[in-house]
């Protein structure tokens, strides 16, 4: 009987080794996805908690929830990394495992409800485990591997209502929409509110508008919670007309609900979802379905900013970074120094064809700036956690951003080497920026006013000066003192709103000591070029604001016409008093005149 031929000794161990590596890759992939699933369960739980905070009018708890949710993602990534390294220490050193781990991860996302978020979580974990500066595409999800178009969950993302069905009529349909949101609080006067909504709708669907066969109202299934408001978001359709809308729901002092207004213009929604506002709490089983719906309402808004608006800021950063590199591939202009007066703390540059600015901390700060890099970072973190009330620009913070060297203007590159050498390095054909903040580009307020003055446009001057003072007041009511309130530190958005964007001197209002300038005791003090009174490190003298905030006498007169109270210390002390008493100031992301009038319930109209 013939004996079977002996197999080479190396075959069996090699096969076993391949099988073991495949098994390890599959286990690691499952472990990472479990970490993400835990994160997203907690993310949805935060949205549910926001709903309870709103129903109880527990605004301090809502503020704390904002802070804890922002920290949530990094905490879950850190947990996933620690778990992975404890169970599979070889993943830190054996890079050859990661292409297999990624390939094992992709099938796990089949039928997953948040695949794009899970891919971003995978990238975050992989980058931290590998401790690499650059990552090849086979290691991470540089491009999405799973399509999210038409992805739906167990419950549809939006509900559809048909005013013609069964003769229900518009008002009854609107009442059904409001009832279906299921808030626990009673309404102050729902009949009155629905009458107001119908009246506002008819200004856009004026009689005799014909009801088309497709007449319907679509409403996203989850409310959008932010600060002291909840928002119903949807669109009305009749024939070829599509009308996006949002309805803010507020509470009176008895925790009774009322519909405050009807926002019907796309621009109104763009302001509501602006980068200068805090993120919403939204309970989304399928985030991609919500983003798809919202982009139908606001097609001009970038997908990255849409993800950030609903609280998924890490996904927003991923999408933005992809957009940036895609734009670099399809453009040819160079990065240049951003227009405006140069700052003493930040070196700011931009790509003219891309509507963002890049801010790099300088190595040295010119006097009188007395702070260090860590303090600047802490100020930007303060803004990230705080309610931005539509007046503070959101920032995207990145580390180790590699940009093509050939796309840098020579003068800008020299300035970076001279002023921020510790924060950049040249690596072959790339400029690597170790730490950078990226913000939406706005026209500096001082340049905007100079342009309006040259054009002789008094209306633009008046509008933006009024906005400037309103921005300062609204920030004060939110416990933010901007510090350096010069015109150059504010920008004008495409919606002609004034937003603050220079954070190196920002502090809480409660940390300031607002004082009145003491009267001089003698002629020498009165004529002195230097202050004749003591000045503490936290002292602020509002009476000086009128002279340096707006230097042009004509414009200063307009500014003080609207905001004379800003130079009165009592205004600032009064704001501090309200903050100390825990009394919230609600800043409406829409004009005061747009609000419905209310009466008869003992609350302000």
């Amino acid at each position: 009987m013939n004996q079977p031929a002996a197999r080479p000794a190396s075959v069996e161990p090699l096969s076993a080794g391949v099988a073991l590596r495949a098994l390890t890759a599959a286990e690691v992939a499952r472990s990472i996805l479990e970490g993400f699933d835990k994160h997203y369960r907690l993310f949805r739980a935060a949205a549910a908690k926001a709903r309870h905070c709103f129903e109880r009018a527990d605004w301090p708890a809502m503020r704390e929830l904002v802070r804890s949710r922002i920290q949530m993602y990094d905490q879950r990534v850190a947990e996933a990394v620690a778990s992975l390294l404890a169970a599979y220490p070889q993943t830190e050193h054996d890079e050859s495992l990661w292409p297999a781990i990624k390939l094992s991860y992709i099938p796990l996302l089949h039928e997953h409800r948040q695949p794009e978020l899970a891919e971003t979580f995978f990238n975050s974990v992989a980058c931290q485990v590998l401790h690499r500066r650059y990552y090849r595409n086979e290691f991470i999800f540089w491009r999405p591997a799973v399509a999210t178009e038409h992805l739906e969950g167990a419950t549809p993302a939006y509900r559809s209502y048909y005013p013609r069905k069964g003769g229900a009529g518009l008002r009854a349909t609107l009442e059904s929409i409001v009832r279906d949101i299921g808030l626990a609080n009673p309404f102050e006067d729902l009949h009155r509110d629905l009458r107001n909504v119908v009246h506002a709708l008819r200004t856009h669907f004026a009689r005799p508008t014909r009801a088309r066969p497709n007449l319907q109202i679509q409403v996203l299934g989850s409310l959008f919670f932010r600060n002291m408001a909840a928002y119903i978001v949807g669109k009305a359709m009749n024939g070829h007309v599509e009308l996006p809308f949002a309805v803010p729901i507020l509470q009176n002092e008895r925790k009774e609900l009322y519909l405050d207004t009807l926002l019907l213009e796309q621009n109104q929604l763009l302001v509501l979802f602006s980068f200068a506002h805090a993120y919403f709490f939204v309970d989304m089983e399928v985030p991609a379905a919500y983003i798809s719906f919202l982009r139908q309402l606001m097609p001009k808004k970038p997908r990255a900013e849409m993800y950030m608006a609903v609280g998924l800021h890490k996904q927003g950063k991923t999408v933005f970074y992809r957009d940036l590199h895609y734009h670099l591939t399809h453009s040819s202009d160079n990065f240049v120094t951003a227009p405006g007066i140069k700052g003493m703390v930040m070196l700011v540059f931009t790509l003219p064809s891309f509507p963002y600015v890049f801010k790099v901390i300088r190595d040295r700060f010119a006097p009188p700036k007395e702070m260090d890099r860590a303090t600047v970072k802490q100020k930007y973190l303060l803004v990230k956690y705080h309610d931005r009330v539509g007046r503070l620009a959101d920032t995207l913070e990145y580390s180790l951003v590699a940009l093509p060297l050939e796309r840098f203007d020579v003068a800008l590159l020299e300035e970076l080497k001279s002023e921020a050498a510790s924060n950049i390095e040249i690596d072959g054909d790339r400029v690597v920026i170790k730490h950078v903040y990226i913000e939406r580009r706005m026209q500096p307020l001082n340049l905007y006013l100079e342009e309006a003055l040259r054009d002789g446009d008094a209306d633009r001057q008046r509008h933006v000066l009024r906005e400037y003072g309103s921005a300062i007041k609204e920030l004060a009511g939110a416990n933010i003192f901007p510090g350096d309130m010069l015109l150059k530190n504010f920008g004008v958005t495409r919606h002609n709103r004034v937003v603050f964007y220079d954070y190196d001197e920002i502090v809480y209002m409660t940390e300031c000591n607002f004082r009145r300038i003491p009267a001089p005791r003698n002629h020498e003090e009165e004529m002195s070029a230097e202050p004749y009174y003591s000045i503490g490190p936290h002292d602020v003298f509002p009476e000086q604001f009128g002279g340096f905030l707006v230097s042009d006498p004509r414009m200063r007169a307009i500014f003080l016409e609207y905001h004379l109270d800003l130079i009165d210390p009592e205004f600032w002390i009064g704001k501090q008093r309200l903050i100390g008493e825990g009394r919230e100031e609600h800043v409406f992301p829409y004009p005061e005149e747009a609000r419905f009038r209310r009466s008869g319930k003992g609350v302000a109209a």
Side-chain angles (χ1 to χ4, degrees):
M1 187 173 180
N2 294 330
Q3 296 292 324
R7 290 181 295 176
S10 62
V11 170
E12 187 169 354
L14 180 62
S15 299
V18 170
L20 180 61
R21 288 172 69 83
L23 177 62
T24 299
E27 290 173 347
V28 171
R30 281 194 295 271
S31 175
I32 295 173
L33 187 59
E34 287 171 4
F36 168 74
D37 287 341
K38 176 183 178 182
H39 160 68
Y40 201 71
R41 282 196 302 272
L42 293 173
F43 180 88
R44 293 190 70 183
K49 186 174 181 181
R51 183 188 185 96
H52 294 313
C53 290
F54 176 79
E55 290 174 336
R56 299 193 306 270
D58 190 348
W59 313 128
M62 185 76 89
R63 287 195 299 272
E64 181 55 37
L65 188 61
V66 168
R67 186 182 186 89
S68 64
R69 189 182 62 166
I70 290 174
Q71 297 170 333
M72 186 183 294
Y73 183 89
D74 289 339
Q75 291 170 346
R76 299 292 83 75
V77 169
E79 287 177 5
V81 169
S83 176
L84 203 60
L85 292 178
Y88 310 99
Q90 65 271 37
T91 57
E92 185 175 12
H93 308 290
D94 188 355
E95 293 183 351
S96 65
L97 275 171
W98 282 91
I101 295 170
K102 178 182 172 183
L103 288 174
S104 297
Y105 197 74
I106 293 172
L108 301 180
L109 302 183
H110 180 65
E111 297 298 328
H112 199 281
R113 300 295 189 250
Q114 307 93 32
E116 77 279 29
L117 275 60
E119 290 175 355
T120 291
F121 191 87
F122 179 97
N123 292 352
S124 298
V125 172
C127 290
Q128 288 203 20
V129 170
L130 288 169
H131 304 293
R132 286 178 58 86
R133 290 171 55 79
Y134 304 113
Y135 303 91
R136 295 194 294 273
N137 287 353
E138 65 266 28
F139 289 175
I140 63 170
F141 292 94
W142 174 243
R143 295 183 180 87
V146 179
T148 58
E149 190 177 7
H150 305 306
L151 184 62
E152 277 290 356
T155 304
Y158 62 87
R159 297 186 294 268
S160 295
Y161 298 84
Y162 304 92
R164 298 182 66 194
K165 189 174 182 180
L170 180 59
R171 189 168 301 187
T173 301
L174 294 175
E175 183 171 358
S176 295
I177 292 171
V178 173
R179 298 294 186 192
D180 286 348
I181 65 177
L183 287 170
N185 313 52
F187 271 82
E188 179 184 88
D189 187 344
L190 185 56
H191 178 76
R192 174 204 63 202
D193 293 346
L194 294 176
R195 185 175 64 246
N196 287 336
V197 171
V198 170
H199 178 75
L201 271 173
R202 283 182 175 152
T203 63
H204 287 264
F205 290 106
R207 290 176 175 173
T209 298
R210 289 178 55 194
R212 305 296 179 177
N214 72 330
L215 176 61
Q216 61 180 292
I217 301 174
Q218 296 178 351
V219 177
L220 282 167
S222 174
L223 287 168
F224 287 61
F225 295 95
R226 185 172 68 198
N227 299 336
M228 293 187 285
Y231 296 84
I232 302 171
V233 178
K235 65 177 179 178
M237 293 179 291
N238 188 40
H240 297 296
V241 178
E242 291 193 3
L243 195 64
F245 69 83
V247 179
I249 305 172
L250 304 182
Q251 299 183 33
N252 63 25
E253 69 277 8
R254 295 183 298 278
K255 300 182 184 178
E256 295 171 332
L257 307 176
Y258 58 91
L259 308 182
D260 196 48
T261 189
L262 176 65
L263 304 176
L264 283 169
E265 301 291 345
Q266 186 180 126
N267 282 345
Q268 290 179 319
L269 266 68
L270 286 168
V271 171
L272 180 65
F273 283 81
S274 163
F275 61 85
H277 281 290
Y279 308 137
F280 287 105
F281 287 90
V282 193
D283 185 12
M284 303 169 289
E285 182 188 6
V286 183
Y290 273 70
I291 299 303
S292 177
F293 188 96
L294 289 170
R295 295 205 75 215
Q296 294 175 44
L297 311 184
M298 296 168 280
K300 295 179 181 178
K301 192 164 186 67
R303 189 181 298 271
E305 291 185 13
M306 205 69 84
Y307 271 108
M308 287 184 281
V310 296
L312 298 167
H313 59 287
K314 292 293 183 180
Q315 186 62 26
K317 287 180 65 176
T318 295
V319 175
F320 174 87
Y321 200 65
R322 289 169 178 163
D323 289 346
L324 170 60
H325 281 269
Y326 181 85
H327 182 84
L328 286 169
T329 302
H330 295 84
S331 61
S332 59
D333 55 332
N334 287 342
F335 290 104
V336 296
T337 301
I341 299 172
K342 291 186 178 182
M344 291 183 284
V345 171
M346 290 290 189
L347 193 159
V348 186
F349 63 94
T350 188
L351 190 67
S353 62
F354 196 61
Y356 293 86
V357 294
F358 301 74
K359 303 172 73 169
V360 178
I361 302 175
R362 296 179 183 273
D363 288 341
R364 297 168 299 279
F365 306 150
K369 297 289 184 182
E370 296 180 359
M371 61 183 66
D372 56 18
R373 181 184 299 272
T375 301
V376 175
K377 289 183 175 182
Q378 185 271 330
K379 300 290 187 181
Y380 274 76
L381 196 60
L382 181 157
V383 172
K384 176 66 72 174
Y385 287 144
H386 201 82
D387 177 21
R388 295 191 293 277
V389 295
R391 298 299 188 176
L392 295 171
D394 192 16
T395 55
L396 297 170
E397 184 178 6
Y398 289 92
S399 299
L400 299 174
V401 174
L403 299 171
L405 174 61
E406 65 177 6
R407 300 293 293 276
F408 278 77
D409 178 75
V410 173
L412 169 61
L413 191 59
E414 290 305 311
E415 187 177 18
L416 283 167
K417 290 177 180 178
S418 171
E419 300 293 330
S422 68
N423 212 359
I424 68 161
E425 67 178 71
I426 309 300
D427 187 358
D429 61 352
R430 297 176 175 183
V431 176
V432 181
I433 304 175
K434 299 176 184 178
H435 182 259
V436 61
Y437 296 103
I438 303 176
E439 294 175 0
R440 259 285 187 174
R441 187 169 63 223
M442 294 172 274
Q443 185 175 10
L445 179 56
N446 61 311
L447 299 185
Y448 183 97
L449 280 168
E450 289 173 11
E451 182 182 283
L453 189 60
R454 284 196 307 270
D455 295 344
D457 193 332
D459 289 340
R460 283 174 63 199
Q461 296 172 40
R462 181 168 290 275
H463 169 79
V464 82
L465 286 167
R466 187 174 187 176
E467 268 282 296
Y468 171 45
S470 296
I472 295 172
K473 289 177 177 178
E474 289 170 11
L475 288 171
N479 196 19
I480 289 291
F481 182 67
D484 192 346
M485 296 187 293
L486 296 177
L487 296 174
K488 69 183 181 68
N489 296 324
F490 291 78
V492 183
T493 72
R494 55 181 170 163
H495 303 292
N496 291 322
R497 286 178 57 81
V498 171
V499 172
F500 186 65
Y501 53 59
D502 189 321
Y503 303 148
D504 51 88
E505 291 191 17
I506 203 168
V507 293
Y508 291 118
M509 283 280 294
T510 48
E511 295 176 1
C512 300
N513 181 32
F514 294 100
R515 292 177 54 192
R516 191 173 296 279
I517 297 175
R521 291 170 295 184
N522 51 50
H523 180 71
E524 288 74 17
E525 288 187 349
E526 186 174 4
M527 301 303 296
S528 173
E530 298 296 324
Y532 53 84
Y533 44 88
S534 63
I535 302 176
H538 303 292
D539 286 350
V540 179
F541 298 91
E543 291 162 291
Q544 297 175 334
F545 292 171
F548 76 82
L549 291 186
V550 184
S551 58
D552 185 285
R554 294 162 296 176
M555 293 193 183
R556 185 188 308 137
I558 297 172
F559 176 75
L560 294 179
E561 179 185 333
Y562 292 113
H563 302 295
L564 186 62
D565 49 352
L566 283 177
I567 65 174
D568 184 352
E570 286 306 313
F571 167 84
W572 299 92
I573 294 168
K575 292 288 186 184
Q576 284 182 318
R577 189 179 304 115
L578 290 175
I579 294 166
E581 294 170 357
R583 293 166 62 184
E584 290 276 319
E585 283 195 20
H586 188 89
V587 177
F588 300 98
Y590 42 86
E592 179 73 26
E593 56 269 23
R595 301 179 65 198
F596 295 149
R597 294 197 59 80
R598 298 159 46 235
S599 60
K601 291 288 182 177
V603 286

